[in-house]
Amino acid sequence: MDEDELRRLRSEFPILSRKRYLNSCSLGALPTRGEEALRRFAEEWHEKGASAWYDAWLPAAEELRERVARFLGATPAELALLPTTSSALSVLGESVDYGRRNRVVVTELDFPTQIYQWAVKSEVELVVLESPDGVRIHPEQFEEAVDDRTAFLATSHVFFTTGHRQDLGVLADIAHRAGAFCLIDGYQGAGQVPVDLAESGVDAYTAGPLKWLCGGPGLAYLYVRRERIAHLHPRITSWFAHERPFDFDPHHFAFRTDARRFELGTPAVPTIRTALAAQKLLDPVGMEAIAARNRHLTRRLVTGLEERGFRPNISPEPERRTAIVLVAHDEPARAVEILDGEGIVVDHRPGHVRVSPHFYNTEEEVDTFVEALDRVRAQPRP
Ligand SMILES: Cc1ncc(COP(=O)(O)O)c(C=O)c1O
């Protein structure tokens, strides 16, 4: 990505001219074309009323499904549109029989919604792997815990807590050797690191437009590998999962044969519009270029922090680091508030300030954050 390309891309994100925005793992920046898409959505609503479903909104959902599937190395038939990651995990969790295999293996570094899915099921024996260094889980830990009683190996692609990226191929192999299903929460992976789901071997992967894909809240993407779909029978469902939803047949229900069998009703059209607009922006940039830039910015961020004596809580394996960096801090909420007053947007998690640059950020923004955090440390409490 050269300077001109970067300048052009940055001009698409209004927040970048107002703030030093370094919080994309929480919420990706909204591009102007996303805002225009929202206006178009409202105009279609005014102009066409319900016929907008057929002329514009359902076709837009299919275009989004196709683009996202391609972006993630999957096919449109393997992708379901759901409202949230939690609902995507729930519907899969309700798609198997725990009679013969009742163990689910997760980790303490996963986003809690992943863990809660199984914690509420009394028939499930939940194993929560603990991280020896607070940053990653070793593949051998999964190997030890996943056995012939295991229904799901369920964990994250990139840990939201530490940015450590797990190897999907290794996880899928461990699950499959034991006959278990490999379910990955990829919310912090898709859009910040390259994802090739066909090649990865995982059985299911959840993602969404909210964060690194810059498409806003209201939708999640659930990938289920083609060969697995027919074996899964969700116990929560909707008319969208029916093979012929527009028959409105009250007497007969049959699941679709593609991933739409996991859908739970009408999707959020405003988000389909914003997510599609953002996807059209990201597709030509390409995931390799985005990831390369994120690696560059993260290296600079980590070096800058370490030079000033901060301790970023990052993976000890440099090739597994991503653009989510947590910095140990005594008063993270106060630091984030002071930085916000200076127009620098980052976030905090218990005991840490969390920074997440994306491809559209500059070296100057990263350096300014590091200098400001250093200054905050020296600032006496009011
Ligand atoms: C890794 C990960 N999974 C899941 C979620 C939450 O998903 P949802 O609110 O869509 O259920 C988040 C953050 O919001 C996350 O970072």
Side-chain angles (χ1 to χ4, degrees):
M1 197 180 296
D2 61 23
E3 285 297 315
D4 284 347
E5 165 91 335
L6 180 62
R7 210 169 306 118
R8 181 188 67 74
L9 287 169
R10 281 176 62 80
S11 72
E12 295 239 20
F13 294 92
I15 196 170
L16 301 178
S17 59
R18 302 180 192 187
K19 305 267 183 192
R20 290 191 170 85
Y21 188 70
L22 295 162
N23 196 11
S24 294
C25 79
S26 188
L27 176 67
L30 170 67
T32 7
R33 59 177 83 185
E35 192 178 342
E36 281 157 18
L38 271 183
R39 267 198 296 275
R40 195 156 13 103
F41 161 72
E43 193 44 47
E44 284 159 351
W45 189 353
H46 290 317
E47 192 60 31
K48 302 173 188 242
S51 63
W53 279 115
Y54 307 102
D55 299 354
W57 298 345
L58 291 175
E62 291 324 299
E63 190 183 351
L64 178 65
R65 192 191 309 273
E66 268 167 41
R67 278 187 181 264
V68 172
R70 205 176 322 125
F71 193 76
L72 299 178
T75 60
E78 294 171 304
L79 207 77
L81 301 179
L82 287 144
T84 59
T85 293
S86 302
S87 56
L89 295 172
S90 295
V91 72
L92 270 190
E94 282 299 319
S95 295
V96 302
D97 176 3
Y98 296 100
R100 210 173 61 74
R101 290 173 173 263
N102 73 336
R103 177 179 273 214
V104 175
V105 178
V106 298
T107 88
E108 63 171 349
L109 299 180
D110 294 318
F111 194 84
T113 207
Q114 170 80 284
I115 303 167
Y116 301 160
Q117 296 310 316
W118 323 101
V120 296
K121 296 187 197 306
S122 56
E123 69 275 33
V124 165
E125 181 211 349
L126 180 61
V127 177
V128 185
L129 301 179
E130 291 189 8
S131 167
D133 57 6
V135 174
R136 63 195 158 146
I137 302 289
H138 297 291
E140 308 82 68
Q141 293 179 265
F142 286 106
E143 199 113 40
E144 235 167 76
V146 175
D147 59 16
D148 61 4
R149 290 168 295 172
T150 307
F152 286 101
L153 185 173
T155 185
S156 316
H157 187 184
V158 171
F159 289 128
F160 83 109
T161 30
T162 65
H164 176 83
R165 178 178 59 83
Q166 302 202 91
D167 187 324
L168 298 183
V170 168
L171 295 172
D173 279 351
I174 293 172
H176 295 161
R177 274 201 300 276
F181 191 101
C182 185
L183 164 59
I184 301 296
D185 174 354
Y187 220 162
Q188 296 293 0
Q192 84 135 329
V193 297
V195 179
D196 185 338
L197 291 172
E199 196 214 75
S200 73
V202 303
D203 300 299
Y205 187 95
T206 60
L210 175 69
K211 300 165 187 290
W212 306 95
L213 293 172
C214 303
L219 270 188
Y221 309 131
L222 169 64
Y223 158 84
V224 182
R225 181 170 292 276
R226 184 195 310 270
E227 308 85 90
R228 290 293 210 169
I229 295 172
H231 303 288
L232 297 164
H233 299 95
R235 280 178 300 266
I236 49 174
T237 193
S238 78
W239 64 302
F240 270 51
H242 190 284
E243 60 180 359
R244 286 185 310 281
F246 292 99
D247 281 2
F248 300 102
D249 180 355
H251 301 293
H252 168 258
F253 180 86
F255 276 121
R256 290 183 63 101
T257 54
D258 60 17
R260 286 159 73 177
R261 74 164 51 193
F262 304 105
E263 294 192 350
L264 293 175
T266 310
V269 180
T271 314
I272 287 172
R273 280 282 184 228
T274 48
L276 183 56
Q279 202 60 51
K280 286 181 180 173
L281 186 157
L282 298 180
D283 279 345
V285 179
M287 203 46 243
E288 290 301 334
I290 293 171
R293 181 139 184 94
N294 286 356
R295 274 196 301 276
H296 164 69
L297 291 171
T298 307
R299 272 198 298 270
R300 189 176 180 110
L301 171 64
V302 168
T303 308
L305 287 165
E306 288 176 342
E307 279 172 3
R308 283 174 172 76
F310 287 106
R311 285 176 294 111
N313 193 34
I314 47 171
S315 178
E317 303 167 67
E319 73 286 1
R320 307 232 143 260
R321 289 179 190 162
T322 67
I324 301 177
V325 177
L326 276 88
V327 193
H329 202 283
D330 291 340
E331 293 179 287
R334 176 171 162 263
V336 168
E337 196 185 320
I338 296 174
L339 295 180
D340 193 56
E342 297 183 17
I344 302 170
V345 182
V346 291
D347 210 344
H348 58 88
R349 288 292 175 270
H352 294 89
V353 171
R354 186 174 75 171
V355 203
S356 49
H358 203 4
F359 69 99
Y360 41 53
N361 286 120
T362 61
E363 289 84 349
E364 185 274 338
E365 286 167 335
V366 166
D367 296 348
T368 303
F369 158 75
V370 174
E371 284 156 24
L373 193 67
D374 203 12
R375 236 181 309 114
V376 170
R377 185 164 53 177
Q379 221 163 295
R381 276 194 71 84

